[in-house]
Amino acid sequence: MLSKRLITGPLLVILLLGLAVLDGWVGTRQIATSLYMGWPMGEFGIKTIPPGLIIWITCCCIIPLASVELATMCKAGGTRCNAGITGCFALLILCTMWIGSAIPDSPGSSMLVVSLLASILATCFIVSLVVYAWGTRTDGVLTASASTLCFASYLGLFLGFYLLIRADHSIWWIIGIIAIVKMCDTGAYFIGSAIGRHKLIPWLSPGKTWEGLAGGLLVSMLTAWGLASMSAHWLPAEPVIPFACAMGLGLAIGLTGQAGDLVMSLIKRSAQVKDSSSLLPGLGGVMDVLDSPL
């Protein structure tokens, strides 16, 4: 297991860094004049490729895989869930957030995005009710519809926040956020294994300890401080983050990441499975990797 993790992990890191470089390059490209008239966002005055195109494409590839895993775990827990509906509406939510991040600020455009997002959420719930009640089946319809809406929002909205960050900041800030989260996970694991004595939530995640949590948060804070210093040196266009602010951000991001890990633990425990799938050797499934970054 450890040997597979040591292979899969670095490969994912290399892939992530490659996508970051590509996203940074694509974000500087102009849309050709010959294509501008047919560019769907041209009506909103967007003449350049919006930041985050590669992130958006990557998320569009991730969402179907994650939807299948969540639907499978949901069914294992005794609740119906359609992966197709979940994935389609998660993609619509993600696209709406990307468009919203690219449209120039104005009262009209903001209202358009909010209205579109609300309509997608409402439609997701209505379509779910119809599909799950099809064939005069009424058992668990409301629960299944709520689960579908929850998972579509979970994937579409939470991944969409990265697109909102990318609209205002360098792609390397997003890499930094993911690094802080994963360093917190790593610190919590090794420090908890070494000196952990007091269980954090034994009924939910027996392996987590208070000592591991404290150590992981300390590592995340130090990581945030180091990355803030690097940002000030290598990314002069970005705001300078003072020491106290960097430490506070490290604490907040680390805590949020640990909460995301516990949410996935709750979903997996309700489904009585160890991993969301076996897609990634040594790491489990897509959701086992995404839980804390989400």
Side-chain angles (χ1 to χ4, degrees):
M1 177 66 74
L2 180 59
S3 60
K4 292 181 178 179
R5 180 173 296 185
L6 291 176
I7 295 174
T8 306
L11 288 176
L12 287 178
V13 171
I14 293 172
L15 177 61
L16 181 63
L17 294 176
L19 290 172
V21 172
L22 181 60
D23 185 86
W25 179 82
V26 170
T28 63
R29 303 300 97 185
Q30 296 282 331
I31 299 173
T33 305
S34 59
L35 299 176
Y36 177 65
M37 296 304 295
W39 174 242
M41 295 186 182
E43 298 179 11
F44 301 105
I46 302 174
K47 299 182 180 181
T48 59
I49 297 176
L53 175 63
I54 302 303
I55 297 177
W56 175 74
I57 294 174
T58 303
C59 291
C60 286
C61 295
I62 288 173
I63 282 177
L65 300 174
S67 298
V68 171
E69 292 182 356
L70 289 171
T72 301
M73 289 188 287
C74 197
K75 292 174 184 176
T79 301
R80 286 185 286 163
C81 185
N82 188 296
I85 299 176
T86 301
C88 285
F89 280 97
L91 287 171
L92 288 174
I93 293 171
L94 181 75
C95 290
T96 301
M97 295 188 72
W98 188 46
I99 293 172
S101 69
I103 295 177
D105 291 334
S106 70
S109 62
S110 299
M111 184 60 68
L112 172 65
V113 173
V114 171
S115 300
L116 183 58
L117 187 59
S119 298
I120 291 172
L121 294 174
T123 304
C124 178
F125 185 63
I126 293 171
V127 169
S128 299
L129 286 174
V130 173
V131 170
Y132 294 127
W134 198 263
T136 65
R137 289 190 63 185
T138 59
D139 55 302
V141 170
L142 187 60
T143 304
S145 300
S147 297
T148 302
L149 177 61
C150 173
F151 287 149
S153 302
Y154 181 39
L155 294 175
L157 286 175
F158 286 23
L159 285 173
F161 280 120
Y162 284 104
L163 294 173
L164 297 182
I165 295 171
R166 180 67 180 98
D168 293 324
H169 297 288
S170 166
I171 180 64
W172 296 107
W173 271 34
I174 293 180
I175 299 300
I177 292 172
I178 297 174
I180 293 170
V181 170
K182 288 304 181 180
M183 286 301 293
C184 184
D185 288 346
T186 303
Y189 174 78
F190 283 106
I191 295 175
S193 299
I195 61 173
R197 297 293 182 271
H198 302 86
K199 298 297 183 182
L200 181 63
I201 310 179
W203 58 270
L204 179 58
S205 186
K208 293 187 181 298
T209 63
W210 285 103
E211 293 85 355
L213 175 62
L217 293 177
L218 177 60
V219 171
S220 69
M221 293 166 69
L222 293 175
T223 301
W225 171 55
L227 290 173
S229 301
M230 292 174 63
S231 176
H233 182 72
W234 296 105
L235 301 174
E238 295 293 339
V240 175
I241 304 178
F243 172 78
C245 184
M247 297 293 278
L249 283 172
L251 177 63
I253 293 173
L255 277 173
T256 306
Q258 290 301 296
D261 186 86
L262 290 172
V263 167
M264 187 47 52
S265 295
L266 182 62
I267 296 174
K268 290 190 291 187
R269 186 161 290 273
S270 66
Q272 297 182 348
V273 296
K274 182 180 183 296
D275 296 320
S276 59
S277 76
S278 57
L279 181 64
L280 302 172
L283 297 179
V286 172
M287 291 307 303
D288 291 309
V289 176
L290 280 183
D291 52 4
S292 49
L294 278 179

